[in-house]
Amino acid sequence: MPEDRNLRLIMVVLAFSCGTTVANLYYAQPLLAGIATAFGVSQGSAGLVVTLTQLGYAAGLALLMPLGDLVENRALASRTLVFTALALVVAAVAPVFGVFLAASVLIGVTSVVAQILIPFAAHLAPEEQRGRFVGTVMTGLLLGILLARTLSSLVAGAFGWRTIYFVSAVLMLVVAVAVRRMLPHRRPSHDAGYRRLMGSILTLAREEPALRRRAVCQALMFGAFSAFWTSVAFELVGRHGLSQTEVGVFALVGAAGAAAAPLAGRLGDRGHGRIGSGVALGLAAVAMVVAWLGAGSLVVLALAGVVLDLAVQGHQVLSQREIYGLRADARARINTVFMTTIFVGGAVASALAGSLYDAFGWAGPSLFGAVLPMIGLAIWATATQEKLGGHPVA
């Protein structure tokens, strides 16, 4: 275990690496109108960029992330990041929409490095401070998610939407070097081979009810998140007449959601994870209803975005703190079940949100996004009731 000072530095490197890597999944969201124009496709078709990137990420989570329990972690992360950089360059120079979509899938698959590094943080952190350190790394990851839209909008407004892909390719190479040189060596104890490793993932999902519950609830939360941020750019441009740069400024409101990560981690360390999760689910549903009712006001939309992001990110940190405590020797595989479920949910929600926006306007994705966390709240309430009734529940 690294000494405390070195551990803090390692967590900063992990946070930066996670943030810059996961940002690749979100750069396209505020650029969809420009991408649609550049390739001559509809807004609904442009929404496929987000959907396919998330599906690629889900595939990477299912197929690559379990290697974190089998392969030395630094080597796995740094080599994968090189392929991320190559995929980003292809996206930047794509001549037709089909090539751009294929590159988006590859960007999603290889950006899974962010989720390889989070269990690494949980492995390095002392048991009594796991929530705190995971929260620190998650803050970096969440800032990457939330600032990606602003950065891509600002870069697109100044230099064109393709530029952000070149910029990110360079960043991925920088991160690959940082990971290789600064993170400690970690070779997992699992040595049974890839096939048995993959088979054990289904066993984990079957044997751990807490993992199933947390994965489904966070998938519903991420579905609401995806429905909001996939559709709001169309609303901001079409209804409010914002420019690409102004859409980027609006996206800054989401950065407030990163404040939930360390707070949620500390709440989890103090034993308040269950009640905190219920509050987060309820807040997400309220935020989506407010976004629908207050769509005519940029201020109300911004407030709804802040509350939604706080709720979604807080719930994720609380969920990860719980599931990482289930089996210390299988954290990468546990994270595989958790994150694959989440991103499949997000990809489906993104696809439905685009179609709902085309059919019903802003009301469609807003109300759809409100229903999803309400389903999660029902799951949470059932589990809580069983616990209070004295029945075994995760």
Side-chain angles (χ1 to χ4, degrees), residues 129-267:
Q129 299 181 65
R130 183 177 298 133
R132 171 190 166 195
F133 282 118
V134 170
T136 297
V137 175
M138 283 296 297
T139 298
L141 182 140
L142 301 176
L143 284 173
I145 293 173
L146 300 169
L147 295 178
R149 296 182 291 264
T150 298
L151 178 61
S152 64
S153 291
L154 295 176
V155 170
F159 306 107
W161 65 265
R162 292 179 184 267
T163 308
I164 189 62
Y165 291 93
F166 284 118
V167 171
S168 186
V170 174
L171 269 177
M172 292 306 95
L173 295 177
V174 171
V175 171
V177 173
V179 165
R180 187 73 182 182
R181 292 188 175 181
M182 300 186 68
L183 298 188
H185 180 277
R186 179 182 178 255
R187 181 169 292 280
S189 58
H190 187 92
D191 59 0
Y194 184 71
R195 181 177 295 182
R196 290 184 61 184
L197 182 77
M198 296 299 292
S200 68
I201 294 173
L202 296 177
T203 302
L204 281 170
R206 184 174 62 251
E207 294 179 351
E208 298 292 349
L211 176 57
R212 296 194 302 271
R213 172 174 52 81
R214 284 294 191 176
V216 170
C217 286
Q218 189 60 30
L220 293 164
M221 290 285 272
F222 191 62
F225 178 92
S226 297
F228 181 89
W229 287 108
T230 298
S231 305
V232 77
F234 297 138
E235 189 72 3
L236 294 172
V237 173
R239 181 169 184 168
H240 295 281
L242 269 60
S243 67
Q244 187 68 70
T245 301
E246 289 168 336
V247 170
V249 173
F250 178 90
L252 279 172
V253 304
L263 175 61
R266 285 174 170 79
L267 284 174

Side-chain angles (χ1 to χ4, degrees), residues 3 37 95 198 227 243 265 300 371 383-384:
E3 61 184 58
T37 300
M198 296 299 292
S243 67
V300 174
V371 168
T384 300

Side-chain angles (χ1 to χ4, degrees), residues 75-141:
L76 176 62
S78 59
R79 291 169 186 170
T80 304
L81 285 166
V82 173
F83 287 99
T84 309
L86 292 173
L88 286 161
V89 171
V90 172
V93 300
V96 295
F97 191 51
V99 173
F100 185 76
L101 288 178
S104 297
V105 173
L106 293 176
I107 290 169
V109 170
T110 56
S111 292
V112 74
V113 167
Q115 296 301 332
I116 292 172
L117 295 178
I118 293 173
F120 194 178
H123 173 78
L124 293 174
E127 169 69 26
E128 68 279 4
Q129 299 181 65
R130 183 177 298 133
R132 171 190 166 195
F133 282 118
V134 170
T136 297
V137 175
M138 283 296 297
T139 298
L141 182 140

Side-chain angles (χ1 to χ4, degrees), residues 364-390:
S366 296
L367 294 179
F368 170 64
V371 168
L372 296 179
M374 288 301 294
I375 296 172
L377 189 60
I379 295 171
W380 171 87
T382 300
T384 300
Q385 185 176 20
E386 290 176 354
K387 183 177 179 64
L388 292 176

Side-chain angles (χ1 to χ4, degrees), residues 131-132 260-277 314 317-318 321:
R132 171 190 166 195
L263 175 61
R266 285 174 170 79
L267 284 174
D269 287 341
R270 294 173 183 174
H272 304 306
R274 184 172 297 276
I275 187 63
S277 297
V317 171
L318 291 170
R321 191 199 183 282

